[in-house]
Amino acid sequence: GITEMDDYDQTCAEITQAEQDARIASCRSSNPSLSAAIQELANNHYSHTEGEKSSSFSVRDDPGWHCAQRRFGQSFKTFMNTTRRLKNSLPDYLVMVDDDTYFNVDLFQEHVAAIDPNEPRILSGCMFEANPLIGIPFEFPYGGFGAVYTKETIKQMNTPIKCNNIDETTSSLRHASFVRSACGVIEQNQIGELEFFRDGMSVVDLISAYTAQVEN
């Protein structure tokens, strides 16, 4: 597993409350690299977590919690590097959860019995529904419940994305279609990811570079 000892910056949480408040204000302010939908979400809910009611939110301003939010990108790269070494022995599912999450394996097996792991799917234990009235412009998975990636999803997320010459990326028609779609999304640059993308990166590589905020 990945802990704070594996963070990109192990001094991340060693800041004053004033510095943390300034960090939150900066992330909520206008950012030209974000799409309108992402900017709306950041303005309304950056540093928020769930409240006592489904329509309410609580502010999280402790530095350690914020530092942990980008740990996903690093852990994803670590786990995916392991799957790359497995090559033809990929698991049917990759389950990523927090260390305090209870995961009922028996119920999970029942749930996925009718799902083909050779189809690209990502499963989530809980979804935030789109609700423009409270500033959530689109649905997205709630991280605390974890996520499950099928074997085909693992393959696609490890596929090199060569937007300059898509035909050279892979001989698989399915993966070529995925690469075209990925190139289109990256070109939209909704969260400023284009700055960190280098031709030939996989989605996993891009997630890792973006969350680490390094260009090379």
Side-chain angles (χ1 to χ4, degrees), residues 96-112:
M96 296 188 66
V97 294
D98 293 343
D99 58 2
D100 59 352
T101 300
Y102 174 74
F103 190 81
N104 190 315
V105 176
D106 292 333
L107 286 179
F108 170 73
Q109 289 178 325
E110 291 179 14
H111 179 75
V112 300

Side-chain angles (χ1 to χ4, degrees), residues 15-24:
I15 61 176
T16 66
Q17 191 60 55
E19 290 172 326
Q20 175 65 3
D21 291 343
R23 175 188 290 176
I24 293 173

Side-chain angles (χ1 to χ4, degrees), residues 81-210:
N81 281 343
T82 300
T83 65
R84 286 172 179 173
R85 291 194 293 270
L86 293 173
K87 295 183 179 179
N88 295 325
S89 301
L90 291 174
D92 285 342
Y93 300 96
L94 172 65
V95 180
M96 296 188 66
V97 294
D98 293 343
D99 58 2
D100 59 352
T101 300
Y102 174 74
F103 190 81
N104 190 315
V105 176
D106 292 333
L107 286 179
F108 170 73
Q109 289 178 325
E110 291 179 14
H111 179 75
V112 300
I115 296 176
D116 182 359
N118 294 305
E119 291 296 325
R121 294 187 68 174
I122 301 176
L123 312 176
S124 174
C126 180
M127 294 288 289
F128 271 120
E129 296 183 356
N131 188 340
L133 295 179
I134 57 174
I136 300 180
F138 48 78
E139 67 176 9
F140 60 92
Y142 173 58
F145 283 78
V148 179
Y149 303 82
T150 64
K151 179 190 297 185
E152 180 59 27
T153 301
I154 296 171
K155 290 180 180 178
Q156 291 192 2
M157 296 188 75
N158 278 296
T159 298
I161 301 172
K162 297 182 180 180
C163 297
N164 293 333
N165 196 334
I166 293 176
D167 292 335
E168 289 185 0
T169 299
T170 174
S171 59
S172 166
L173 293 177
R174 168 181 276 180
H175 285 192
S177 176
F178 161 75
V179 170
R180 289 189 180 90
S181 176
C183 291
V185 172
I186 293 170
E187 187 63 31
Q188 292 175 26
N189 199 33
Q190 297 189 60
I191 58 174
E193 71 273 27
L194 187 58
E195 175 186 355
F196 302 93
F197 177 70
R198 299 293 179 269
D199 205 54
M201 275 185 167
S202 68
V203 170
V204 172
D205 295 329
L206 180 55
I207 290 173
S208 178
Y210 182 84

